[in-house]
Amino acid sequence: MNAVTEPHRPYYIPNPSPYPVVLSGALFLLGLGAALRVNALTAGWWVLGAGALLAVYVLFAWFGRVIGESRAGVYGLQEDRAFRWGMLWFITSEVVFFASLFGVLFYERNIAVPWLASFNAPHSALAPFSPWPHFTAQWPNGGPAGQGFEVVNPWGIPALNTLLLLSSGVTVTWAHAGLRAGRRTQLKAGLALTIALGVTFLGFQLHEFSEAYRVLGLTLHSGVYGATFFILTGFHGLHVTIGAIMLAAMLARTWRGDFTPENHFAFEAVTWYWHFVDVVWLMLFVFVYWL
Amino acid sequence: MSAANLSSEQSHAQHHDAPPRGITRWLYATNHKDIGVMYLVFGVLMFFVGGLLAELIRSELLTPTMRVLTPEAYNQVITIHGLVMVFAAVMPITTGFANYLIPLMIGAPDMALPRLNNWGFWLLPAAAVLLVLPWGLKLIGIGTGTIDTGWTMYAPLSIQAGPGADFAFVAVLLLGLSSTMASINILVTVAQQRAPGMSWLRLPVFVWSWVITALLLIAVFPALMAGCIMQITDRHFGTHFFSASGGGDPVLWEHIFWFFGHPEVYILLLPTAGLLPHILATFARKPLYGYKAQVYSFCAIGVMSIVVWAHHMFTSGMPTDVNIYFMLSTMAISVPVAVLFFCWFGTIWRGSMTFETPMLFALGYIVLFGIGGLTGLVLSDAAADQQYHNTYFLVAHFHYALFGGPIMGIFAALYYYLPKMTGRMYSEILGRWHFWLTLAAFNLVFMPQFLLGIAGMPRRIPDYALQFAPLNMVSSIGAFALGATQLLFLYNILRTAFGTSGAVASARVWEGSSGLEFTLPSPPPFHTFATPPAID
Amino acid sequence: MSGEKVLRLGLSGVIGAAFLPVRAQARAFYNFQTPVTPIARDVLFIHDLFLVIIAILFAAGIGLLLYTVYAHSRRRHRTAATFTQPVGRKQWLWASTPFVALLIIDYVVLGIPALHSIWALADTRGAEMTVQVTAHQWHWQYQYPAYGIGFSSDLSTPARQIDDRAPKDKHFLLEVNHPLVLPTHEKVLLVLASSDVIHAFWVPAFGVKQDVVPGYLRQTWVEIDKPGVYRGQCAELCGVGHAFMPIVVQAVPPAQFQHWVAAERAREAAVQATASATYSEAQLILRGRQIFQSNCAACHQSNGLGLPGAFPPIAAGHPFAASAPMLAALRARGFYRHGLIVEGPVPNHIRIVLHGIPGTPMPSFAAQLSAADIAAVITYERNDFGNHTGDVIEPATVAALKDGH
Ligand code: HEA
Ligand code: HEA
Ligand code: CUA
Ligand SMILES: [Cu+2]
């Protein structure tokens, strides 16, 4: 923040708002629907669908409201800072989420699998009792009762994807530079490029998943390797999707004439998120595909 | 939505000080006091729901054989009792105090993100409904009732469990979202909204305790959420995170759960440990003792609590060195907690004490939580824990810690702030009866459980061997008395909130009170500190 | 380790002496069961030490509290002091003593004995005998690889006592049909496994509690120095039968142990022989009822009506509501039609009991029950509970299916 001095103004406290409670209701329906659905109980899909629709509607309305407020100029420096810190802490919680998934990968690979194999060690007093007499520790591993599968070659699509996401990090920064310098065309081009890169990434990723299922025999059922592979790449893919949608929203707003060189918090928040997704991918590439 | 329309709405909000009327005041609330009150009401309500379940547990355990519940229902009842008490009673109540008090204590007009605040609250009822809904579904012939794995949800029992388990995992996801939102809001508020002059080392201790609590929540809850998602995929999508046949490990879930679960007990404890000094200082008419020591202790507890989790897993068969590490680190955490005790003693030492209800509960907290803490020290011994683990000794430990700590602290704080919130005094006589009966009954419930555990009674069993019968009966009778006593409390707060009797509370409320919240009238106006107060 | 011994002696000397009368008193009432292994003795020592120390700390704390409440109440102490932290070196020193004391208690007084006992517990070397212990929902199974014998050990408390329809035995819920027999004065290695969920093997008098994790092995050891019967129970929530899977260990002198082994071998051989014998329907049903009550009633209930959603009825013609996959499995085996339980084909029935139904709690009984027992229980099931199929299953049929698998 540069030193724009502001006269004192009261902190903006929004009027009573229906969105939060409705969003909670939507999440309730989503949760309920999911719980019913996975157990093949009544009405699962319907409840799930209703929840999803309601959630999409509220998110539109809520964000629309905030954008409206922002355009009306009700936010000052203090509000801006609050949004920034809020976003940063939110991303922190996401970091913890992914860190735990990496922790799971670490545990399964370096503790669980060797432990299971250790019972067979020739000198072990436990060898006669080993529940998995033919199991040896290696990674990747589908577990003692798993069927075989092949792994994705890191230097094919994944490497390409790394390149795509890294360059999307560059393009989004380029777009930001454009915004700050008031070059709106650069901003639009940068955003569009970033979205295109993100979508291409997703396309490749989907292709890779289907290859894994159809050709490599690598599925959610393929023991710990398949499980950690899909949960990590899957959640990452989900985040790329969300990020791409948010970028698209930013592009739409740019088109509408939103954002000034000084005031464009929403845009910045999305770029933070995008960089975060980028960094997660790098970790994924190294620990899931490569090593 | 035009810009002109918006700004006129905004000025509307700022010019009218009266709360909106009707149910939408609560449903659509953006005011921190309203949201705080909703949290408190919800939490107290759920405390009674959890308490009712506890009474069911104790009725079942009144004699060695079952009469009240089937073994299946028993397991469901203890599970929901634990989950409700921890997530739907204590956490919402302490969050309610945070919402109500933090803006007042730091001289802020409101929380930094008011709509987010409301969202965080309304996720809670949704989660609570998901927890108990499977019982309702069972009544109409769907499913097998709610989750029955214990609140720790150990795999693979959780994988075997009926549909209720999915409801519980989804509920935990919503609870996690709720806590994360509340924590973000609190952190941003404290960082951004302090009145000029309210520097970090001038923040009231309660505010500090919540800063650490919020950091802890952000640092550990997402891990549990990730774990719950893996439980669901293991249950329904064929993954093997927690199953050896695919190279996974059931113990991994224990690690995930306790990586969250141990910090969680300090998440439950810290807010009331932060309120306690305020109350002690007020009634001792003396300034806080060791402000900085307390703040640093909170920080130390926060950091250390993240690295001691596996003391819950001493019998799970971890390598010896790992057990030793977790034993030694757990022992270390007793030091910062003991520093808090020291400061509490220091605060009342050579004060000029009177013993109104909040003070009684605060002193009760010190004694009962003291017992909980000291027995925690015993449990941290990896060798002796072989005997204590999963016995009633453990159950007694954590009830002394959870009831003796958070719940006693909540009682103290409710009595302390009720006059501020409602503008009317509660009945002191009823309050004192509530305290003394609670103290007596509580010890009657849980003291025998230490002995039962030592004598070898495992937890989570609906029927038990005959040698455990006499003490169980004592414990159950104590529980009925404890439950009845809480009705006194309910009556007292309801009559203060809605009745017209009772003295009017002054702004200061208590002779010895200090702090920004006591510079405001009781009850405080709907909007407060629109202009920041001057801090000297 | 000798420094530790000295310390231990010293400590037990000083504290123990003061506490001995109390300790003896407490033992008679509610305390740990009398320890019969080195580990259990260690743990009891730590426990006693602990209780004394926390009692002292508690007394100090509560004493201080009561004193200040008395002396510094408004009535006696009109003007409050205003100090907010220690001032001067002397006060700081005073203020830090409790914490130094706490650290010493943690890491020296309690830490050293704890380390000793943790290392001792982990030291499974030099075992003279190995027993494999397998936990099932909800009973224990013991195998002696060196002697080629093994059996399962089920709760023997009759359902009538649990339902309060009959007076309870002395060892209500802590009695089994077939205790684990171990020799005294021998280091026995226990190798623990689980066939379904996490359980925990716990015998208080041995000071050992060890979780068993499905798919993994755990180990622990005992060296019992006094013959007797020791009772414990599963210590990790493992489902609805968690309260009903006790462990009973009978420790006997080594010579007697050898006798028991011989007798047990003979018994198992006799059981093998029954597989080729034939029995009358009445004999089978009589035997089947016993088997059912002790092996099946925990889930399918003694009246054969099961529990909705979890355990299907055995009695045909009863409705059963459960999740779709469970019903599909039952239907595929021919035990469920049009919302009702039916008696499916005999071979499937035998297979279910022999091999269990994978992925459900229905366990495999092939290892626990002899062919004759299985024949008996199936004959019983098909001719009681209102079922009148008239089928009589021969042990040989069961044995054939068992080997054919
Ligand atoms: C608020 C909750 C809370 C708190 C604060 C604590 C505090 C502590 N707990 Fe506890 N604990 C639980 C809640 C809590 N616990 C729960 C819920 C479980 C079981 C969960 C389950 O399995 O379901 C559990 C289980 C548990 C275990 C696992 C046992 C097992 O499963 O086998 C262990 C082991 O180390 C432990 C240790 C400790 C320690 C060392 C502390 C330390 O923080 C304590 C430090 C405090 C002191 C050392 C006191 C110092 C004070 C004085 C010296 C002065 C005394 C003064 C007077 C008496 C006036 N706890
Ligand atoms: C903050 C947490 C908290 C609190 C306050 C309590 C409070 C109580 N708990 Fe709980 N308990 C847990 C957390 C808590 N518990 C946890 C985490 C577990 C572990 C679960 C598991 O194993 O998974 C547990 C387990 C547990 C067990 C062990 C069960 C077992 O292992 O088999 C028992 C048994 O006695 C018990 C008893 C009690 C009792 C008697 C109270 C009393 O203090 C309750 C006081 C009573 C009331 C508050 C009742 C008042 C209400 C009425 C009289 C009804 C009126 C109704 C209306 C107005 C609607 N609890
Ligand atoms: Cu087996 Cu509990
Ligand atoms: Cu803990």
Side-chain angles (χ1 to χ4, degrees):
Chain A
M1 285 297 99
N2 38 22
V4 191
T5 42
E6 247 189 338
H8 173 74
R9 50 184 283 173
Y11 192 78
Y12 175 68
I13 296 157
N15 271 338
S17 158
Y19 305 127
V21 65
V22 180
L23 185 57
S24 296
L27 289 179
F28 171 74
L29 290 179
L30 274 174
L32 177 64
L36 289 172
R37 179 55 228 138
V38 289
N39 289 295
L41 296 176
T42 44
W45 284 123
W46 292 106
V47 180
L48 203 61
L53 281 180
L54 196 59
V56 170
Y57 163 73
V58 191
L59 285 176
F60 260 96
W62 191 344
F63 278 117
R65 168 92 200 183
V66 175
I67 293 167
E69 284 169 359
S70 164
R71 284 155 65 99
V74 299
Y75 296 148
L77 273 184
Q78 237 193 328
E79 288 84 356
D80 190 65
R81 271 203 305 267
F83 286 153
R84 270 161 208 284
W85 280 104
M87 187 67 191
L88 277 180
W89 285 119
F90 174 69
I91 291 182
T92 311
S93 75
E94 293 263 43
V95 169
V96 176
F97 181 85
F98 275 100
S100 336
L101 293 181
F102 280 108
V104 167
L105 175 66
F106 173 84
Y107 184 95
E108 306 284 26
R109 179 173 179 169
N110 293 308
I111 298 175
V113 167
W115 197 348
L116 280 168
S118 73
F119 305 130
N120 300 331
H123 52 274
S124 162
L126 295 178
F129 307 98
S130 171
W132 318 106
H134 308 295
F135 185 62
T136 49
Q138 84 245 6
W139 193 260
N141 200 305
Q147 335 91 322
F149 56 84
E150 286 169 64
V151 298
V152 178
N153 172 15
W155 303 110
I157 290 180
L160 189 62
N161 265 345
T162 311
L163 218 66
L164 286 179
L165 269 199
L166 284 182
S167 28
S168 80
V170 176
T171 52
V172 83
T173 310
W174 184 64
H176 193 193
L179 173 52
R180 271 210 302 241
R183 292 192 294 269
R184 313 269 310 174
T185 329
Q186 181 182 336
L187 166 61
K188 286 177 199 158
L191 269 177
L193 259 176
T194 314
I195 297 169
L197 288 168
V199 172
T200 322
F201 170 92
L202 281 174
F204 277 137
Q205 197 71 350
L206 282 179
H207 173 74
E208 184 189 290
F209 284 180
S210 92
E211 287 285 287
Y213 260 80
R214 287 183 302 117
V215 184
L216 304 177
L218 175 63
T219 70
L220 273 175
H221 309 247
S222 312
V224 274
Y225 183 82
T228 46
F229 174 83
F230 279 105
I231 201 155
L232 272 160
T233 53
F235 267 100
H236 177 263
L238 190 68
H239 281 72
V240 176
T241 313
I242 296 170
I245 293 173
M246 296 198 302
L247 284 169
M250 294 306 115
L251 186 58
R253 287 185 62 185
T254 312
W255 231 276
R256 221 172 56 173
D258 280 3
F259 304 134
T260 62
E262 298 79 35
N263 187 355
H264 50 260
F265 164 69
F267 180 88
E268 274 181 85
V270 175
T271 60
W272 293 345
Y273 193 81
W274 194 254
H275 288 309
F276 152 70
V277 171
D278 243 13
V279 173
V280 172
W281 175 261
L282 278 183
M283 308 272 294
L284 271 176
F285 182 70
V286 176
F287 291 110
V288 176
Y289 290 97
W290 184 8
L291 294 181
Chain B
M1 204 162 291
S2 77
N5 179 1
L6 268 167
S7 49
S8 76
E9 268 185 45
Q10 176 215 1
S11 57
H12 168 90
Q14 245 109 45
H15 290 180
H16 297 258
D17 209 29
R21 257 185 272 246
I23 180 78
T24 51
R25 166 172 181 189
W26 307 104
L27 286 176
Y28 299 173
T30 46
N31 180 291
H32 74 99
K33 298 186 201 74
D34 281 358
I35 295 177
V37 168
M38 287 199 293
Y39 266 110
L40 292 175
V41 170
F42 175 77
V44 170
L45 198 75
M46 293 315 274
F47 172 67
F48 278 88
V49 172
L52 203 61
L53 295 174
E55 301 300 341
L56 271 178
I57 299 176
R58 287 310 329 169
S59 322
E60 175 63 41
L61 296 177
L62 185 66
T63 67
T65 46
M66 61 189 115
R67 293 206 181 76
V68 189
L69 301 165
T70 62
E72 197 188 18
Y74 181 84
N75 289 350
Q76 300 180 351
V77 166
I78 59 164
T79 307
I80 298 299
H81 162 69
L83 289 171
V84 161
M85 281 297 195
V86 167
F87 290 107
V90 174
M91 285 174 71
I93 294 177
T94 57
T95 315
F97 280 122
N99 272 303
Y100 199 99
L101 294 174
I102 288 180
L104 300 186
M105 285 181 165
I106 65 176
D110 204 303
M111 297 295 279
L113 304 161
R115 278 179 294 221
L116 193 74
N117 204 8
N118 193 27
W119 184 37
F121 170 75
W122 281 108
L123 283 169
L124 286 179
V129 169
L130 281 176
L131 277 182
V132 293
L133 191 65
W135 272 326
L137 289 178
K138 189 184 172 176
L139 283 182
I140 57 168
I142 301 177
T144 53
T146 187
I147 185 172
D148 58 358
T149 56
W151 81 293
T152 48
M153 306 180 277
Y154 277 12
L157 189 62
S158 60
I159 310 290
Q160 261 186 11
D166 297 300
F167 287 76
F169 288 124
V170 172
V172 174
L173 291 179
L174 294 190
L175 289 165
L177 200 58
S178 161
S179 293
T180 309
M181 293 308 140
S183 304
I184 291 177
N185 203 4
I186 287 166
L187 288 173
V188 175
T189 305
V190 178
Q192 301 301 314
Q193 310 284 86
R194 281 168 289 134
M198 176 66 78
S199 62
W200 281 97
L201 277 179
R202 280 181 159 179
L203 288 177
V205 232
F206 173 65
V207 180
W208 261 111
S209 71
W210 249 108
V211 169
I212 303 298
T213 305
L215 284 171
L216 271 180
L217 276 166
I218 291 182
V220 298
F221 222 136
L224 183 68
M225 293 166 76
C228 287
I229 290 170
M230 290 186 275
Q231 286 264 19
I232 294 175
T233 61
D234 263 20
R235 281 168 59 80
H236 297 290
F237 300 103
T239 57
H240 290 86
F241 291 108
F242 308 125
S243 140
S245 64
D249 185 355
V251 174
L252 172 60
W253 168 259
E254 300 185 17
H255 282 290
I256 295 177
F257 184 84
W258 292 116
F259 175 77
F260 157 82
H262 182 77
E264 170 70 12
V265 307
Y266 294 100
I267 288 165
L268 298 170
L269 178 79
L270 285 184
T272 52
L275 278 169
L276 206 62
H278 293 254
I279 298 168
L280 294 173
T282 297
F283 296 100
R285 294 167 181 75
K286 224 182 118 222
L288 282 187
Y289 179 82
Y291 171 86
K292 278 193 189 165
Q294 293 188 50
V295 171
Y296 295 147
S297 290
F298 291 153
C299 299
I301 291 171
V303 173
M304 289 157 98
S305 69
I306 295 186
V307 296
V308 301
W309 73 89
H311 61 227
H312 295 269
M313 303 161 52
F314 283 143
T315 65
S316 73
M318 297 180 296
T320 316
D321 305 345
V322 178
N323 276 347
I324 291 176
Y325 159 74
F326 280 107
M327 171 176 90
L328 297 180
S329 58
T330 303
M331 286 175 165
I333 210 170
S334 60
V335 173
V337 181
V339 170
L340 295 180
F341 272 88
F342 191 84
C343 295
W344 299 336
F345 276 111
T347 301
I348 53 176
W349 192 254
R350 294 190 41 225
S352 179
M353 277 185 271
T354 49
F355 303 99
E356 287 85 344
T357 310
M359 182 64 161
L360 289 177
F361 273 103
L363 296 173
Y365 181 119
I366 298 183
V367 175
L368 296 185
F369 176 61
I371 298 177
L374 288 171
T375 48
L377 207 62
V378 177
L379 290 170
S380 71
D381 189 306
D385 187 58
Q386 300 281 327
Q387 288 292 58
Y388 306 128
H389 177 66
N390 275 358
T391 65
Y392 266 83
F393 189 89
L394 169 64
V395 174
H397 155 69
F398 70 68
H399 282 91
Y400 269 92
L402 285 167
F403 194 106
I407 299 286
M408 293 296 274
I410 284 165
F411 286 147
L414 276 176
Y415 284 115
Y416 186 64
Y417 284 114
L418 207 57
K420 168 90 325 195
M421 294 173 178
T422 62
R424 238 173 278 110
M425 300 301 288
Y426 58 85
S427 156
E428 188 62 45
I429 300 195
L430 281 180
R432 286 181 195 202
W433 272 104
H434 176 216
F435 170 74
W436 289 108
L437 288 176
T438 298
L439 188 72
F442 175 82
N443 282 303
L444 200 60
V445 188
F446 293 106
M447 218 18 115
Q449 295 189 2
F450 280 124
L451 300 177
L452 282 170
I454 292 170
M457 176 165 167
R459 68 194 285 206
R460 294 169 168 169
I461 55 173
D463 294 351
Y464 45 84
L466 297 183
Q467 68 264 35
F468 307 129
L471 286 181
N472 266 300
M473 181 160 300
V474 175
S475 177
S476 289
I477 292 170
F480 304 146
L482 186 59
T485 305
Q486 302 322 311
L487 295 177
L488 220 60
F489 157 74
L490 197 63
Y491 171 69
N492 204 356
I493 50 174
L494 288 181
R495 103 185 237 295
T496 315
F498 296 114
T500 43
S501 55
V504 172
S506 67
R508 191 80 191 276
V509 183
W510 312 105
E511 185 190 332
S513 52
S514 61
L516 280 179
E517 71 273 28
F518 289 104
T519 60
L520 295 164
S522 306
F526 193 60
H527 289 293
T528 38
F529 296 133
T531 353
I535 314 280
D536 32 71
Chain C
M1 204 121 304
S2 78
E4 187 267 336
K5 263 211 179 100
V6 173
L7 183 91
R8 219 177 117 156
L9 271 176
L11 279 172
S12 27
V14 177
I15 299 169
F19 192 57
L20 258 180
V22 188
R23 188 170 143 177
Q25 193 67 39
R27 177 72 34 71
F29 188 44
Y30 279 99
N31 198 342
F32 283 172
Q33 298 175 14
T34 313
V36 294
T37 65
I39 298 290
R41 266 192 303 277
D42 254 30
V43 171
L44 181 65
F45 169 81
I46 298 175
H47 169 74
D48 284 344
L49 191 62
F50 251 134
L51 287 201
V52 177
I53 288 174
I54 65 170
I56 294 171
L57 291 179
F58 181 72
I62 198 107
L64 219 59
L65 192 73
L66 290 178
Y67 170 76
T68 178
V69 161
Y70 169 82
H72 306 143
S73 74
R74 174 115 89 149
R75 199 137 20 103
R76 288 191 192 68
H77 201 247
R78 286 242 132 244
T79 41
T82 55
F83 60 88
T84 59
Q85 61 173 56
V87 250
R89 261 194 43 198
K90 226 169 106 185
Q91 277 195 18
W92 272 106
L93 267 172
W94 269 112
S96 49
T97 41
F99 306 105
V100 176
L102 193 58
L103 281 174
I104 293 176
I105 290 172
D106 274 352
Y107 291 113
V108 182
V109 183
L110 299 174
I112 292 175
L115 283 180
H116 171 260
S117 147
I118 293 171
W119 280 321
L121 184 62
D123 185 6
T124 51
R125 286 168 305 175
E128 290 147 277
M129 188 182 130
T130 302
V131 176
Q132 185 179 14
V133 177
T134 310
H136 301 271
Q137 277 170 323
W138 289 277
H139 64 96
W140 297 90
Q141 183 187 348
Y142 306 114
Q143 275 148 306
Y144 299 70
Y147 303 106
I149 52 179
F151 48 86
S152 72
S153 173
D154 295 74
L155 177 71
S156 63
T157 300
R160 315 176 51 81
Q161 291 188 16
I162 299 178
D163 299 347
D164 249 356
R165 283 178 290 131
K168 300 183 194 346
D169 303 341
K170 178 148 181 277
H171 295 298
F172 175 68
L173 291 185
L174 294 181
E175 52 196 352
V176 296
N177 58 359
H178 211 148
L180 170 64
V181 179
L182 292 179
T184 51
H185 302 292
E186 272 182 34
K187 185 165 182 174
V188 181
L189 178 69
L190 300 176
V191 175
L192 302 123
S194 163
S195 70
D196 33 52
V197 300
I198 303 181
H199 304 256
F201 182 86
W202 181 36
V203 181
F206 300 167
V208 164
K209 183 180 286 142
Q210 179 59 60
D211 293 8
V212 294
V213 179
Y216 285 74
L217 295 176
R218 294 291 190 267
Q219 48 183 332
T220 189
W221 62 276
V222 296
E223 190 176 335
I224 309 164
D225 48 26
K226 222 177 86 203
V229 177
Y230 305 105
R231 294 168 200 276
Q233 62 191 108
C234 177
E236 184 59 65
L237 181 61
C238 51
V240 294
H242 165 58
F244 310 103
M245 49 184 296
I247 298 152
V248 178
V249 181
Q250 190 178 357
V252 295
Q256 206 178 326
F257 178 74
Q258 291 307 331
H259 277 121
W260 172 82
V261 168
E264 185 63 24
R265 273 193 174 140
R267 193 187 65 83
E268 290 195 0
V271 168
Q272 288 295 320
T274 57
S276 48
T278 51
Y279 298 89
S280 73
E281 180 178 357
Q283 273 176 314
L284 286 171
I285 290 182
L286 208 63
R287 175 101 189 98
R289 175 174 293 121
Q290 280 173 9
I291 307 267
F292 187 86
Q293 291 304 337
S294 56
N295 290 281
C296 321
C299 299
H300 296 288
Q301 308 298 306
S302 43
N303 56 11
L305 292 184
L307 286 174
F311 307 116
I314 296 297
H318 281 272
F320 179 59
S323 69
M326 191 177 219
L327 293 181
L330 283 174
R331 202 176 288 122
R333 289 176 171 80
F335 281 80
Y336 188 73
R337 215 174 308 126
H338 308 307
L340 302 178
I341 290 287
V342 293
E343 281 308 303
V346 172
N348 282 1
H349 201 153
I350 299 178
R351 268 191 213 103
I352 289 177
V353 181
L354 267 178
H355 308 301
I357 304 182
T360 78
M362 174 66 203
S364 153
F365 287 93
Q368 290 168 49
L369 294 180
S370 68
D373 285 346
I374 291 180
V377 77
I378 293 176
T379 308
Y380 168 69
E381 278 187 329
R382 297 182 78 86
N383 294 290
D384 199 334
F385 308 115
N387 303 333
H388 304 287
T389 60
D391 298 328
V392 178
I393 287 91
E394 295 297 337
T397 323
V398 177
L401 272 173
K402 189 174 178 179
D403 300 337
H405 195 78

